[in-house]
């Protein structure tokens, strides 16, 4: 039976989905021909570019381990979580902090269907939500039932802000989100980046990527280091700052190897919300 005949109700298999394209790059099977066409177009532009999803995923795991371990955070809200895969936030956090609570948020119907079917772990829930309405996410009944907003919360924004257009005001959205968090909370971001004249060859590639993504997915914005850094305004950025993801606190094996384009065209950082007046 063709995969299109096994499409969950409410899922449009004729239009590419960000979550399903990402799933394909991670080696998942919850994607359709239209998603694979987008992924294959990206690979044709950079044959080694498929490692971007992997590098983003390993960055996520290092961040979660640090926050659940050294930072002592045991509450996570993963916005734009995508389709479930190995090494999800609740699995990584649970290895360090067995009592960790995790909320997954997405507006992709397939991600929601699969998440509800597979994420049966205790202290873990998935809710429908859109980053464009951050207050609605954090005030969702299921979120409030699981997360104690009198204590620090880690909000994860991995590979999602670059899917908001400038006219949607992503900076204002992040500020509204941070305003809802208690002091001592953390915000982690990974984002497509244009390194400009520091790496002109990479910059030329990402200009082509941005054009292709917007033509096929209707979204995708490679921002400058300064533009991405502005999302952390008012927060205390942890060392080593906003850097290429493999350079953010690499593990014992050293800096993760990836293509030059992936290395310089995808930045990550983590910051803490200070107490008022600090």
């Amino acid at each position: 039976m063709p995969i299109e005949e096994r499409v969950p109700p409410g899922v449009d298999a004729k239009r590419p989905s960000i979550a399903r394209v990402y799933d394909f790059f991670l080696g998942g099977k919850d994607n359709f021909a239209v998603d694979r066409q987008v992924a294959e177009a990206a690979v044709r532009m950079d044959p080694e570019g498929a490692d971007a999803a992997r590098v983003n995923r390993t960055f996520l795991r290092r961040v979660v381990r640090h926050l659940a371990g050294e930072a002592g955070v045991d509450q996570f809200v993963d916005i734009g979580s995508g389709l479930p895969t190995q090494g999800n936030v609740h699995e990584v956090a649970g290895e360090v902090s067995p009592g960790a609570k995790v909320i997954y948020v997405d507006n992709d119907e397939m991600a929601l269907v699969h998440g509800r079917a597979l994420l049966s772990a205790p202290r873990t829930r998935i809710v429908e939500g859109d980053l464009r309405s951050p207050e609605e996410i954090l005030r969702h009944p299921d979120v409030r039932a699981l997360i104690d907003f009198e204590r620090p919360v880690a909000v994860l924004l991995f590979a999602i802000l670059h899917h908001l257009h400038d006219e949607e005001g992503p900076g204002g959205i992040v500020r509204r989100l941070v305003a809802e968090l208690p002091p001592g909370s953390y915000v982690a971001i990974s984002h497509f980046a244009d390194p400009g004249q520091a790496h002109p060859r990479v910059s030329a590639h990402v200009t082509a990527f941005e054009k292709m993504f917007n033509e096929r997915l209707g979204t995708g914005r490679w921002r400058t280091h300064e533009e991405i850094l502005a999302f952390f305004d008012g927060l205390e950025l942890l060392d080593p700052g906003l850097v290429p993801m493999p350079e953010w606190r690499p593990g014992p094996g050293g800096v993760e190897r990836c293509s030059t384009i992936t290395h310089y065209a995808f930045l990550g950082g983590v910051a803490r919300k200070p107490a008022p007046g600090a």
Side-chain angles (χ1 to χ4, degrees), residues 24 63 68 147 212 235 241:
F24 173 80
V63 168
I147 303 298
M212 186 274 288
L235 302 175

Side-chain angles (χ1 to χ4, degrees), residues 63-206:
V63 168
V64 171
R65 287 191 189 99
H66 169 75
L67 293 177
E70 294 179 43
V73 178
D74 62 358
Q75 304 186 110
F76 295 82
V77 179
D78 183 3
I79 302 178
S81 53
L83 285 151
T85 187
Q86 291 184 343
N88 284 298
V89 174
H90 72 279
E91 295 170 329
V92 178
E95 293 173 359
V96 182
S97 177
K101 301 174 182 179
V102 179
I103 292 284
Y104 294 102
V105 183
D106 212 296
N107 63 355
D108 183 283
E109 188 60 35
M110 193 159 175
L112 293 167
V113 168
H114 283 260
R116 288 166 181 151
L118 299 176
L119 297 175
S120 58
R123 298 180 295 278
T124 301
R125 299 184 186 180
I126 184 165
V127 302
E128 183 175 4
D130 192 311
L131 180 58
R132 298 171 187 85
S133 302
E135 297 90 352
E136 291 183 16
I137 291 173
L138 297 187
R139 296 173 188 174
H140 190 287
D142 287 348
V143 175
R144 288 286 164 172
L146 190 67
I147 303 298
D148 178 5
F149 283 90
E150 296 298 316
R151 300 190 300 108
V153 180
V155 173
L156 311 179
L157 301 173
F158 289 101
I160 183 171
L161 288 169
H162 51 232
H163 291 299
L164 295 182
H165 298 289
D166 291 346
E167 56 267 27
E168 293 176 293
I173 290 171
V174 174
R175 287 192 294 273
R176 287 157 52 199
L177 181 63
V178 171
E180 297 284 321
L181 303 176
S185 293
Y186 290 83
V187 176
I189 294 173
S190 67
H191 197 295
F192 289 157
D194 183 346
Q197 289 308 303
H199 298 280
R201 187 177 71 85
V202 175
S203 182
H205 270 282
V206 303

